Amino acid sequence: MSFTLVETTTIKRSPVTVKPYFDGRLSNMGLENYGLSLFEGVTHYEQLACLENGNTKRYVTGLNEFAPDVRNIPNVEQREARIKEIRTTVAELEKILAANVLDIEDPEFWNKVSLLRPDNHEFWGKIDMKCGNSPIFLDPSDPYDLIKIHAINAGGFSIIAKSYEDARSRQKAPKFYLDKYEDTISTKTEGKKLRNKALAELQKLFDKNTSKLLYVAKLVDVGGAQYKKATPNDVLYDNMDVFIMGEGTEKSANRAAQSFLDACNLDMETLKLRVIVKDATYYKVIVSKADGFIYHKDKGSLLGRNQADVVEYLKNPLNEEILTDITKKVEKYWNS
């Protein structure tokens, strides 16, 4: 069947858009200083991803019930629901684009699909995205835009993340992301709420429990050994404020805020023990050996396989002598 893709100049407005992804914390040839992801006038063009296995080609469309990501859904009910959703969408698109009316319950469903067959290379090979600094509006009521939305959600375009949250979580930041306004705002607001909660806890510690503030700072900061008992509280406060905002040793503001809150929620005994073990490792009071276990450097006592094991070991009243010895050696540095 022959078909024609027609481009129009109609200006679309839709709650679903493809936008440039910007993260001011990442170096991007100086563009981060101007709040930009791309140089003016630059566009990125990409065709729909096509995976080849021998003589078999498979486009990443999000509308193929035979794709591995659908077949491998472990829950039968969820898999059947996904297949039904795919068939419903394909049937609607076939009716609009090819005047082909289909029954999604028909056992010969895919044999009767004429345009959106998974092996129709003539059709899928013409699906592409061209993105720049200006947002691309995608209208789900437009059949070709709907196809692109499904493809983006399935990972069919490497330059476009399927959501703002997906873009943030990737190790290598994408150039663009699919912005569903409500989802993006929810994600951004969630991060702000988390950081505000952490900042409130920071203020509470500063006002009422500066001893715990010191231990929290030593635990969450990679360079926690720098903090001593004589470190001014204002320094601890300022450094933790920077840390919570993702501008310290942890560059993800959400992870930083959550780790700060997790530390604040520890009881004082566990918190102090974790800090003692962390600093004892730094000052080589306890050491890891070739067998993969951690030992007391001077006494040679086996303490555990990791720092969590060591904390539990030191909580045991039977090991009070070793705890006292390690604490004295660590606190010597804290008091210096």
Side-chain angles (χ1 to χ4, degrees):
M1 172 180 284
S2 62
F3 65 95
T4 304
L5 291 177
V6 179
E7 292 189 4
T8 68
T9 57
T10 304
I11 298 176
K12 298 180 182 179
R13 290 292 182 266
S14 167
V16 182
T17 56
V18 175
K19 292 183 177 179
Y21 176 68
F22 172 73
D23 188 339
R25 298 167 300 174
L26 302 178
S27 177
N28 186 20
M29 297 181 289
L31 289 172
E32 68 278 5
N33 298 323
Y34 304 96
L36 297 174
S37 298
L38 301 170
F39 287 104
E40 195 60 40
V42 172
T43 58
H44 284 254
Y45 169 84
E46 186 178 22
Q47 287 184 298
L48 182 63
C50 179
L51 307 178
E52 294 190 38
N53 184 9
N55 295 324
T56 304
K57 291 184 178 181
R58 179 175 67 83
Y59 288 89
V60 184
T61 68
L63 294 172
N64 179 6
E65 71 176 69
F66 308 108
D69 60 311
V70 177
R71 292 201 320 268
N72 295 333
I73 296 175
N75 184 286
V76 175
E77 290 184 359
Q78 291 179 355
R79 183 167 65 249
E80 290 178 348
R82 178 71 181 120
I83 290 172
K84 182 178 180 180
E85 179 189 356
I86 289 172
R87 288 194 175 194
T88 300
T89 303
V90 169
E92 182 65 20
L93 290 169
E94 281 279 315
K95 182 170 67 175
I96 296 172
L97 297 176
N100 184 21
V101 179
L102 299 168
D103 177 5
I104 65 171
E105 302 295 340
D106 188 343
E108 297 294 315
F109 178 83
W110 287 102
N111 289 332
K112 296 178 181 179
V113 172
S114 59
L115 192 61
L116 278 82
R117 295 191 320 274
D119 61 350
N120 187 355
H121 309 304
E122 184 183 359
F123 177 77
W124 294 114
K126 293 183 179 179
I127 302 299
D128 56 39
M129 289 294 299
K130 185 177 181 181
C131 307
N133 279 320
S134 299
I136 306 296
F137 293 91
L138 298 177
D139 184 356
S141 64
D142 180 295
Y144 290 107
D145 283 356
L146 181 60
I147 287 169
K148 291 176 180 179
I149 291 171
H150 278 282
I152 293 170
N153 282 325
F157 296 98
S158 64
I159 61 173
I160 308 173
K162 63 183 178 181
S163 66
Y164 182 80
E165 186 174 9
D166 178 39
R168 284 196 317 172
S169 66
R170 293 192 186 185
Q171 189 169 9
K172 183 179 179 181
K175 290 294 183 182
F176 309 93
Y177 70 96
L178 186 66
D179 179 22
K180 299 174 184 176
Y181 181 75
E182 294 82 358
D183 293 343
T184 301
I185 289 297
S186 175
T187 299
K188 290 182 177 180
T189 304
E190 180 184 341
K192 289 179 181 178
K193 289 177 181 176
L194 188 64
R195 292 191 293 275
N196 288 341
K197 186 176 180 181
L199 290 171
E201 285 297 317
L202 172 60
Q203 187 64 49
K204 191 186 300 182
L205 290 179
F206 181 79
D207 292 338
K208 299 181 179 180
N209 197 344
T210 53
S211 295
K212 189 170 186 178
L213 175 58
L214 171 63
Y215 293 138
V216 169
K218 289 181 74 63
L219 182 62
V220 302
D221 195 331
V222 171
Q226 67 180 297
Y227 303 123
K228 316 288 184 181
K229 289 188 175 180
T231 301
N233 293 331
D234 284 339
V235 172
L236 295 174
Y237 184 95
D238 185 61
N239 285 5
M240 287 300 97
D241 179 76
V242 169
F243 176 84
I244 289 168
M245 299 308 292
E247 299 170 0
T249 51
E250 171 56 73
K251 298 306 179 185
S252 167
N254 283 5
R255 284 198 298 268
Q258 189 60 61
S259 66
F260 184 86
L261 288 170
D262 291 343
C264 290
N265 290 331
L266 293 172
D267 63 86
M268 198 63 170
E269 179 196 12
T270 302
L271 176 62
K272 185 174 181 180
L273 277 176
R274 287 184 60 179
V275 172
I276 287 172
V277 171
K278 180 184 176 187
D279 277 10
T281 302
Y282 178 81
Y283 293 120
K284 301 191 184 308
V285 177
I286 61 177
V287 293
S288 296
K289 293 190 177 180
D291 60 1
F293 288 92
I294 298 173
Y295 293 83
H296 187 294
K297 184 177 180 181
D298 294 335
K299 296 182 180 294
S301 304
L302 191 156
L303 306 177
R305 187 176 292 277
N306 50 49
Q307 290 193 10
D309 288 349
V310 178
V311 169
E312 292 305 314
Y313 178 93
L314 296 178
K315 278 186 176 182
N316 190 330
L318 295 176
N319 302 316
E320 182 70 26
E321 181 182 345
I322 292 179
L323 171 60
T324 301
D325 180 78
I326 293 175
T327 301
K328 283 182 179 179
K329 290 177 178 176
V330 169
E331 286 192 334
K332 180 183 69 174
Y333 294 101
W334 292 359
N335 295 324
S336 62

